[in-house]
Amino acid sequence: MAIILGDNQYGKAESRVVRIYRDGSRHEIRDINVSTALRGPFAPAHLEGDQSNVLPTDTQKNTAYAFAKSHGIESIEQFGLALARHFVGAIEPVEGARVEVEEYAWTRALVDGQEHDHTWTRTGAEVRTAAVTVDSSGEHVIGGLKDLVLLKSTGSEFAGFLEDDFTTLQETHDRVMATSLNAKWRFGAVSEASAADVPWDEIYAGVKAIMVKQFATLQSLALQQTLWHMGKAVLEAYPFIAEIRLSAPNKHHFMVDLEPFGMDNPGEVFFAADRPYGLIQATILRDDVPLAPEAWRSAAGLA
Amino acid sequence: MAIILGDNQYGKAESRVVRIYRDGSRHEIRDINVSTALRGPFAPAHLEGDQSNVLPTDTQKNTAYAFAKSHGIESIEQFGLALARHFVGAIEPVEGARVEVEEYAWTRALVDGQEHDHTWTRTGAEVRTAAVTVDSSGEHVIGGLKDLVLLKSTGSEFAGFLEDDFTTLQETHDRVMATSLNAKWRFGAVSEASAADVPWDEIYAGVKAIMVKQFATLQSLALQQTLWHMGKAVLEAYPFIAEIRLSAPNKHHFMVDLEPFGMDNPGEVFFAADRPYGLIQATILRDDVPLAPEAWRSAAGLA
Amino acid sequence: MAIILGDNQYGKAESRVVRIYRDGSRHEIRDINVSTALRGPFAPAHLEGDQSNVLPTDTQKNTAYAFAKSHGIESIEQFGLALARHFVGAIEPVEGARVEVEEYAWTRALVDGQEHDHTWTRTGAEVRTAAVTVDSSGEHVIGGLKDLVLLKSTGSEFAGFLEDDFTTLQETHDRVMATSLNAKWRFGAVSEASAADVPWDEIYAGVKAIMVKQFATLQSLALQQTLWHMGKAVLEAYPFIAEIRLSAPNKHHFMVDLEPFGMDNPGEVFFAADRPYGLIQATILRDDVPLAPEAWRSAAGLA
Amino acid sequence: MAIILGDNQYGKAESRVVRIYRDGSRHEIRDINVSTALRGPFAPAHLEGDQSNVLPTDTQKNTAYAFAKSHGIESIEQFGLALARHFVGAIEPVEGARVEVEEYAWTRALVDGQEHDHTWTRTGAEVRTAAVTVDSSGEHVIGGLKDLVLLKSTGSEFAGFLEDDFTTLQETHDRVMATSLNAKWRFGAVSEASAADVPWDEIYAGVKAIMVKQFATLQSLALQQTLWHMGKAVLEAYPFIAEIRLSAPNKHHFMVDLEPFGMDNPGEVFFAADRPYGLIQATILRDDVPLAPEAWRSAAGLA
């Protein structure tokens, strides 16, 4: 029996890049957080401290900044692909690269009702994400979002559940349902040609709109059911999306008992709890598309 | 020489209240975080552990929830006034009350381009705040906002500053300027009659719009100058605002040196730094309005 | 082609349980954060909103609190095993359960140099973790820790690395090395009998001490090399640990250039940076032990 | 009526400085977070954008790093005094300076039971603080700590409180009491001579020990009473401490109702709640010492 080195990777996490486009008087902004991880023949670095195959994480950061200039940031998917291809293609020992990007949205400031040319406010509604892997298994792109906080004040039930000796919960046919949605959708085969043509920003807006619509309009019998309909609707609308993974905390809003104060509370006053929270997770996918576990191996650099 | 009890207060911090208005099919939502603090003859509680004057913090929380039902939340200023007046007026030993409220904004979900009746997304751009004090000095209302993140990609300079032996900074006539604005504006005399009539929500929107406009349009020679113009414009527009306090971190965006990679960087690629940051703070006020230190004594329950 | 439901699970995240043992005048405390997730035939809940197989997350929370009383918390591994076995064994539809626990350490308050019987201060150095899976593949226990912040002021080098056109980093043979270590070690086969006998708390202390010693005493040529030696030493000391996974941010401490101020800086004054940071990850394992991917599927309820 | 500039200040917040002493093989470490703010004739910077009196915040940061080398960090009080005196004494327009410092504790790593020479673990129990003001009113030093988390499992009551229509809380004569203590103690007159002689580190340890002892040993009838006794004991022990301000969240631990599951719960299983929390604040002072409001004006750079 021997002790051996298993899976390993290293990289630079959370390089904060702001890219301004100032080609005319009307500027554009993209504000991102980039994490890169490299995979390959790094056993000597671990076993003997030999760094000859190791491109410093500082260099990975420099590359991200340089690419923001030379390649621009048209979309975080495109930017991630450019970076990952570079590390695998141009750096000899590197066998695989993972690039994870978060994007923070900015909205043009309104001045006297007009959009301003070079001033923005941070929107903050949700964070857009992308995760790109390039390795011997091919090229994988995962789009996503996180922290999209949604709430509906009616149209949600929870009843008919399994009960055991520890069950005290009452059934309800009208409750507040709220979540902070995390979603990741994997694109089917990505080729260099197609990647350049994909309208990544449009798809992002479309996927988000579909999920919000399902959340709003479905009479929900469980958060599980809502997630299923969100995912199914996204896959029906975008044939090139192979699967979608949803993780949704059930942000509990407890109806406050006002009876001791001589008041009723017909679904009007709630305590918004922090912890604990339910956590519902599901994958919705096509039954004819090969799984791609390589696409999901994270760099884990972003919280 | 004796050891004595000085200033003291106690209360319940961060009660999270969500109020749904469901009078028709089109619901409304107000989502707030309430902290209350009471002042009065609480020396026996400290010196002898005698609680007979102490209204439990649990009761203060209950009151906040009950008032969300009975008084509603028309605005956080109005809600804060109602709570503070109650504690001082109805609870015999209480001499002063401070109520601090944060409000989180929600935007109606768009479904097929239409605003949905009972579903929202959390907007998150900034947090609206109010701080109300009722005591023997009168009634004080402070409106405010925090975490309004603003960025301009040009129209900002910093030059002609004082230099000493530790100065290495270069002058610049075109830089990114960004901040996460915290502002608090104190209303002049508030009477029960007038408070009911004040269009608090409109004023909030107006103050915010004025500050954003000044940030965007002023050719800034320093963040100090921008703050002055923000505050001055707010006071010019609203004669009943007595003073405004601004606290603005200078969120540094450092231009990345791309020369080692054979690229120039004419204000296009920036590193957004976390720490340290500049911090600029100023009060802008009317010279004929009495100061009101009581208005500013915080309950400190909200981070 | 059809759209189908893939992997899914649901549970209650972050139930905060504090257990006091007060059998005599000298009390004991265990302070934990529990997340549970159930796996099984939950397709009807997703596809049709049928909850008849769904044990509410509220019930899972109740069970955690009840087990804190009935089973006690001897160690978080033991507690996690008891809960996971219960869900799989006693709740008919449940096929698999995952229980993740964090534990926060408390130290007895010192009063006049003596340990106090019923007062503690929160230590905060690191968080101990456990993750238990019970399903048809068997029983899996993973011990761990996170946020163990370590720093050495010498005995660390980084040189001889790969250089490309984007490399500007200088070699160094004496630097500060600091990390906030996350480690997870998987125990080999766990049977009901053995689990009761395992000295979980002792093993935890032992693993931690070994890792700290390696970090301190190895002349490090790279953080990779340090991780390898940490992991190897743990496996050598504990034959029943099958593998260990380490994730270590390289918390950069940059030497400040004091030359402009006429001072040298021989490794004395550093800027501790927040972001970006390097991130080094490695698995160290035995070559004769079967992998157990089921052991690593997370409930993801704890940040 | 005119609009005028009121109180203002500016500075650099949260410069992270790590100072290593490496005079022999046994190194020492001090790890701090420094915020500085300057006060003086900065109206031209606001009104006209004229920076000629403005020492850049970047320079303030440089000064902090340079002083970490030239003056060392013997204690955060001493370091804060050195910096504040420099800004007021050496920079002509500056009239007042405020320096706030946080210190993070490190403990020597144990290797085979021995303290290691150059490796530490971050302790994290609490953060030590200092706030120094130098201006025309003199020199003021405030020592302090924050986030000292304390819990006692018995020896705490709450009864005999005021009740109104919104009161539902039950009296208790045995509860868990926990807090995350924030304390600030102001030293009496500080002169340059005395400052050098003050054993700041010893005093810090002493003040903390006294507060922990009072928390542990007093049979508490209210958190207010506990704070009073903490503060009084500190002032009795240190004649040169003029006043102490305490702010203590009441971190509620609710006893879980296990009756529905056929179990009693005699103070053994608790739910540790996040929000809301009680918040108790008190100042304890000497009746013969002049107040020093200037000492308390914050730079507000540290959260």
Side-chain angles (χ1 to χ4, degrees):
Chain A
M1 182 221 67
I3 294 171
I4 56 171
L5 179 69
D7 273 353
N8 64 86
Q9 63 182 355
Y10 79 99
K12 186 66 111 193
E14 305 210 34
S15 295
R16 292 279 289 105
V17 181
V18 173
R19 177 65 158 98
I20 305 290
Y21 290 88
R22 42 199 306 159
D23 306 319
S25 63
R26 190 172 177 87
H27 294 186
E28 304 288 339
I29 186 172
R30 304 282 317 219
D31 179 6
I32 67 173
N33 195 10
V34 184
S35 292
T36 57
L38 304 185
R39 298 151 185 173
F42 305 127
H46 291 81
L47 276 55
E48 297 137 41
D50 173 351
Q51 311 302 315
S52 55
N53 282 340
V54 172
L55 190 73
T57 66
D58 186 74
T59 301
Q60 296 177 40
K61 176 200 71 178
N62 287 346
T63 310
Y65 282 106
F67 272 48
K69 168 67 178 168
S70 59
H71 289 67
I73 305 173
E74 282 175 50
S75 71
I76 55 176
E77 291 89 349
Q78 188 80 344
F79 182 73
L81 272 166
L83 262 183
R85 287 168 178 166
H86 164 78
F87 289 127
V88 174
I91 310 301
E92 210 272 309
V94 174
E95 294 168 359
R98 171 76 166 190
V99 180
E100 295 177 3
V101 189
E102 291 184 345
E103 180 172 20
Y104 312 115
W106 293 85
T107 305
R108 283 190 187 278
L110 290 181
V111 173
D112 301 332
Q114 302 296 310
E115 290 188 344
H116 197 265
D117 272 352
H118 61 255
T119 306
W120 299 265
T121 58
R122 176 103 153 237
T123 310
E126 80 271 353
V127 172
R128 179 174 168 183
T129 64
V132 173
T133 302
V134 173
D135 63 14
S136 61
S137 75
E139 297 189 336
H140 308 282
V141 178
I142 294 170
L145 58 78
K146 64 178 194 177
D147 306 333
L148 176 62
V149 182
L150 296 163
L151 180 148
K152 62 193 300 185
S153 54
T154 190
S156 167
E157 313 181 30
F158 190 58
F161 43 74
L162 186 65
E163 303 194 22
D164 71 359
D165 291 348
F166 297 107
T167 302
T168 56
L169 189 73
Q170 301 299 304
E171 297 196 340
T172 176
H173 293 282
D174 191 5
R175 62 171 181 172
V176 165
M177 185 164 78
T179 192
S180 174
L181 186 68
N182 291 263
K184 295 181 190 297
W185 47 93
R186 181 168 64 85
F187 291 89
V190 178
S191 72
E192 193 150 351
S194 73
D197 296 337
V198 178
W200 302 104
D201 287 2
E202 265 175 54
I203 294 166
Y204 177 79
V207 170
K208 181 182 155 190
I210 288 168
M211 293 194 296
V212 168
K213 176 177 177 175
Q214 292 298 318
F215 182 88
T217 58
L218 182 75
Q219 176 70 18
S220 175
L221 301 175
L223 186 43
Q224 280 92 331
Q225 189 198 23
T226 296
L227 295 188
W228 163 255
H229 281 278
M230 283 177 163
K232 186 160 158 283
V234 168
L235 266 59
E236 285 169 350
Y238 295 102
F240 46 79
I241 295 183
E243 68 175 307
I244 181 167
R245 297 187 178 184
L246 301 169
S247 179
N250 192 341
K251 294 170 75 78
H252 304 306
H253 285 68
F254 295 111
M255 213 170 325
V256 178
D257 179 11
L258 301 176
E259 251 190 54
F261 321 127
M263 301 173 188
D264 64 344
N265 183 9
E268 294 180 319
V269 179
F270 296 86
F271 164 59
D274 294 309
R275 293 190 295 183
Y277 51 92
L279 187 58
I280 317 298
Q281 296 167 295
T283 299
I284 297 98
L285 72 166
R286 299 180 192 284
D287 69 352
D288 62 347
V289 169
L291 296 178
E294 314 82 357
W296 295 99
R297 184 177 166 204
S298 174
L302 298 167
Chain B
M1 182 219 69
I3 293 170
I4 58 172
L5 179 68
D7 273 353
N8 64 87
Q9 63 182 352
Y10 78 98
K12 187 66 111 194
E14 305 209 34
S15 295
R16 290 279 290 107
V17 182
V18 173
R19 177 66 160 94
I20 304 290
Y21 290 89
R22 42 199 303 160
D23 305 319
S25 63
R26 190 172 176 88
H27 294 187
E28 303 288 338
I29 186 171
R30 303 276 328 215
D31 180 5
I32 67 174
N33 194 12
V34 184
S35 292
T36 57
L38 305 184
R39 296 149 185 178
F42 306 129
H46 291 81
L47 275 54
E48 297 136 41
D50 173 351
Q51 311 301 315
S52 55
N53 284 338
V54 171
L55 190 73
T57 66
D58 186 74
T59 302
Q60 297 177 40
K61 176 200 71 181
N62 288 346
T63 310
Y65 281 107
F67 271 49
K69 169 65 178 168
S70 59
H71 290 67
I73 304 173
E74 282 174 51
S75 71
I76 54 175
E77 291 89 351
Q78 188 82 341
F79 183 73
L81 272 166
L83 262 183
R85 286 167 177 167
H86 165 78
F87 289 126
V88 173
I91 309 302
E92 210 272 310
V94 174
E95 295 168 356
R98 171 76 166 189
V99 180
E100 294 178 2
V101 190
E102 290 184 344
E103 181 171 20
Y104 312 114
W106 292 85
T107 304
R108 283 191 187 278
L110 291 181
V111 173
D112 301 332
Q114 302 296 309
E115 290 188 345
H116 197 264
D117 271 353
H118 60 255
T119 305
W120 299 265
T121 57
R122 175 105 153 236
T123 310
E126 81 271 353
V127 173
R128 178 174 167 184
T129 64
V132 173
T133 301
V134 173
D135 63 14
S136 61
S137 74
E139 297 190 338
H140 307 281
V141 177
I142 294 170
L145 58 76
K146 63 177 196 176
D147 305 334
L148 175 64
V149 183
L150 297 163
L151 179 149
K152 62 192 301 182
S153 54
T154 189
S156 167
E157 314 181 28
F158 191 57
F161 42 75
L162 187 65
E163 302 194 23
D164 71 357
D165 290 350
F166 298 106
T167 302
T168 55
L169 188 73
Q170 299 299 306
E171 298 196 340
T172 174
H173 292 282
D174 190 7
R175 62 172 182 172
V176 165
M177 185 163 77
T179 191
S180 175
L181 186 68
N182 291 264
K184 293 180 191 298
W185 47 92
R186 180 168 64 85
F187 290 90
V190 178
S191 73
E192 193 150 352
S194 73
D197 297 338
V198 178
W200 301 104
D201 287 2
E202 265 175 55
I203 294 166
Y204 177 79
V207 170
K208 181 182 155 190
I210 287 168
M211 292 193 298
V212 169
K213 177 177 175 175
Q214 292 298 318
F215 181 89
T217 57
L218 181 75
Q219 175 71 16
S220 175
L221 301 176
L223 187 43
Q224 279 93 330
Q225 189 199 23
T226 295
L227 295 188
W228 163 255
H229 281 278
M230 284 178 162
K232 185 159 159 282
V234 168
L235 266 60
E236 285 169 349
Y238 295 102
F240 46 78
I241 295 184
E243 67 175 308
I244 183 166
R245 296 186 180 185
L246 301 169
S247 179
N250 192 342
K251 295 170 72 80
H252 304 305
H253 285 67
F254 295 111
M255 213 170 325
V256 178
D257 178 11
L258 301 176
E259 252 190 52
F261 321 128
M263 300 174 189
D264 62 344
N265 183 11
E268 294 180 318
V269 179
F270 296 86
F271 165 59
D274 294 310
R275 291 192 295 183
Y277 50 91
L279 186 58
I280 317 296
Q281 296 168 295
T283 298
I284 296 100
L285 73 165
R286 297 180 194 284
D287 69 353
D288 62 345
V289 169
L291 296 178
E294 316 82 358
W296 294 100
R297 186 177 165 204
S298 172
L302 299 166
Chain C
M1 181 219 67
I3 293 169
I4 57 172
L5 180 68
D7 273 354
N8 63 86
Q9 64 182 352
Y10 78 99
K12 187 66 110 195
E14 305 208 35
S15 295
R16 291 280 289 102
V17 181
V18 173
R19 178 65 159 95
I20 304 290
Y21 290 89
R22 41 199 305 159
D23 305 321
S25 64
R26 190 172 176 87
H27 294 187
E28 303 288 338
I29 186 171
R30 303 278 324 216
D31 180 4
I32 67 174
N33 195 12
V34 184
S35 292
T36 57
L38 305 184
R39 297 151 185 175
F42 306 129
H46 290 81
L47 275 55
E48 296 136 41
D50 174 351
Q51 312 302 315
S52 54
N53 283 341
V54 172
L55 190 74
T57 65
D58 186 74
T59 301
Q60 297 176 41
K61 176 200 70 178
N62 287 346
T63 310
Y65 282 106
F67 271 47
K69 169 67 177 166
S70 59
H71 290 65
I73 305 175
E74 282 174 50
S75 71
I76 55 176
E77 291 89 350
Q78 188 82 342
F79 182 73
L81 271 166
L83 262 184
R85 286 167 178 167
H86 165 77
F87 289 127
V88 173
I91 311 301
E92 209 272 309
V94 173
E95 295 168 356
R98 170 78 167 188
V99 180
E100 295 177 2
V101 190
E102 290 183 345
E103 180 171 21
Y104 312 115
W106 293 84
T107 304
R108 283 191 188 276
L110 291 182
V111 173
D112 301 332
Q114 301 297 309
E115 290 189 346
H116 197 264
D117 271 352
H118 60 255
T119 305
W120 300 264
T121 58
R122 175 105 152 236
T123 312
E126 80 271 352
V127 173
R128 178 174 167 184
T129 64
V132 172
T133 301
V134 173
D135 64 14
S136 62
S137 75
E139 296 188 339
H140 308 281
V141 177
I142 295 170
L145 58 77
K146 63 177 195 178
D147 305 334
L148 176 62
V149 183
L150 297 163
L151 180 147
K152 62 192 300 185
S153 53
T154 190
S156 167
E157 313 182 28
F158 191 58
F161 43 75
L162 186 65
E163 302 194 23
D164 71 357
D165 291 348
F166 297 108
T167 302
T168 56
L169 188 73
Q170 301 299 307
E171 298 195 340
T172 174
H173 291 284
D174 190 5
R175 61 171 182 172
V176 165
M177 184 163 78
T179 191
S180 175
L181 186 69
N182 291 265
K184 294 179 190 299
W185 47 93
R186 180 168 65 85
F187 291 89
V190 178
S191 73
E192 194 148 351
S194 73
D197 297 336
V198 177
W200 301 104
D201 287 1
E202 265 176 54
I203 295 167
Y204 177 79
V207 170
K208 181 182 154 189
I210 288 168
M211 293 194 297
V212 168
K213 176 176 176 175
Q214 292 297 318
F215 181 88
T217 57
L218 181 74
Q219 174 72 17
S220 175
L221 301 176
L223 186 43
Q224 280 93 331
Q225 190 199 22
T226 296
L227 295 188
W228 163 256
H229 282 276
M230 283 178 163
K232 184 159 160 284
V234 168
L235 267 59
E236 284 169 350
Y238 294 102
F240 46 79
I241 295 184
E243 66 176 307
I244 183 167
R245 297 188 179 183
L246 301 169
S247 179
N250 192 340
K251 294 169 74 80
H252 304 306
H253 285 66
F254 295 111
M255 213 171 324
V256 179
D257 179 11
L258 299 176
E259 250 192 53
F261 321 128
M263 301 173 187
D264 63 343
N265 183 10
E268 294 181 317
V269 179
F270 296 87
F271 164 60
D274 294 309
R275 293 193 293 185
Y277 50 91
L279 186 58
I280 317 297
Q281 297 167 295
T283 299
I284 296 98
L285 73 167
R286 298 180 192 284
D287 69 353
D288 62 346
V289 168
L291 296 177
E294 315 81 0
W296 295 99
R297 185 178 165 202
S298 172
L302 298 168
Chain D
M1 180 220 70
I3 294 171
I4 56 171
L5 179 68
D7 273 354
N8 64 85
Q9 64 181 354
Y10 78 99
K12 186 67 110 193
E14 305 209 34
S15 294
R16 292 279 290 103
V17 182
V18 173
R19 176 66 159 96
I20 304 290
Y21 291 88
R22 42 199 305 159
D23 305 319
S25 64
R26 190 171 177 88
H27 294 187
E28 304 288 338
I29 185 172
R30 302 274 332 211
D31 179 5
I32 67 174
N33 195 10
V34 184
S35 291
T36 57
L38 304 185
R39 297 152 185 172
F42 307 129
H46 291 82
L47 276 56
E48 296 137 42
D50 174 351
Q51 311 302 316
S52 54
N53 283 338
V54 171
L55 190 74
T57 66
D58 187 74
T59 301
Q60 297 177 40
K61 177 200 71 181
N62 287 346
T63 310
Y65 282 107
F67 271 48
K69 169 64 179 169
S70 58
H71 291 65
I73 305 175
E74 283 174 49
S75 71
I76 55 176
E77 291 89 349
Q78 188 82 340
F79 183 72
L81 271 167
L83 262 184
R85 287 167 178 166
H86 164 78
F87 288 128
V88 173
I91 310 301
E92 209 272 309
V94 173
E95 295 168 357
R98 170 78 167 188
V99 180
E100 295 178 4
V101 189
E102 291 183 342
E103 181 171 20
Y104 312 115
W106 293 86
T107 304
R108 282 190 189 278
L110 291 181
V111 173
D112 300 333
Q114 302 297 309
E115 291 189 344
H116 197 264
D117 271 352
H118 60 256
T119 305
W120 300 265
T121 58
R122 175 105 153 236
T123 311
E126 78 272 352
V127 172
R128 177 174 169 184
T129 63
V132 173
T133 301
V134 173
D135 63 13
S136 60
S137 74
E139 297 190 337
H140 307 281
V141 177
I142 295 170
L145 58 75
K146 62 177 197 178
D147 305 335
L148 175 62
V149 183
L150 297 162
L151 181 148
K152 63 193 297 185
S153 54
T154 190
S156 167
E157 314 182 28
F158 191 58
F161 43 77
L162 186 66
E163 302 195 22
D164 71 358
D165 291 350
F166 298 107
T167 302
T168 55
L169 189 73
Q170 301 300 304
E171 296 195 341
T172 176
H173 292 283
D174 191 5
R175 62 170 181 173
V176 164
M177 185 163 78
T179 191
S180 175
L181 185 69
N182 291 263
K184 294 180 191 298
W185 48 92
R186 179 168 65 83
F187 291 89
V190 178
S191 73
E192 193 150 349
S194 72
D197 296 337
V198 178
W200 303 103
D201 286 1
E202 265 175 55
I203 295 167
Y204 177 80
V207 170
K208 181 181 156 190
I210 288 168
M211 294 194 296
V212 169
K213 176 177 177 176
Q214 292 298 318
F215 182 90
T217 58
L218 180 74
Q219 175 72 18
S220 175
L221 302 176
L223 187 42
Q224 279 94 331
Q225 191 198 21
T226 296
L227 295 188
W228 163 255
H229 281 277
M230 284 178 163
K232 186 159 157 283
V234 169
L235 266 60
E236 285 169 350
Y238 294 102
F240 47 78
I241 295 185
E243 67 175 309
I244 182 167
R245 297 186 178 184
L246 301 169
S247 179
N250 192 340
K251 296 170 72 81
H252 304 306
H253 284 67
F254 296 111
M255 215 174 317
V256 178
D257 178 12
L258 300 176
E259 251 191 53
F261 322 128
M263 301 173 188
D264 63 344
N265 182 10
E268 294 180 319
V269 179
F270 296 87
F271 164 60
D274 293 309
R275 293 191 297 183
Y277 51 92
L279 186 60
I280 317 298
Q281 297 167 295
T283 298
I284 295 98
L285 74 167
R286 299 181 191 282
D287 68 354
D288 62 346
V289 169
L291 297 178
E294 315 80 359
W296 295 99
R297 186 177 165 203
S298 172
L302 299 167

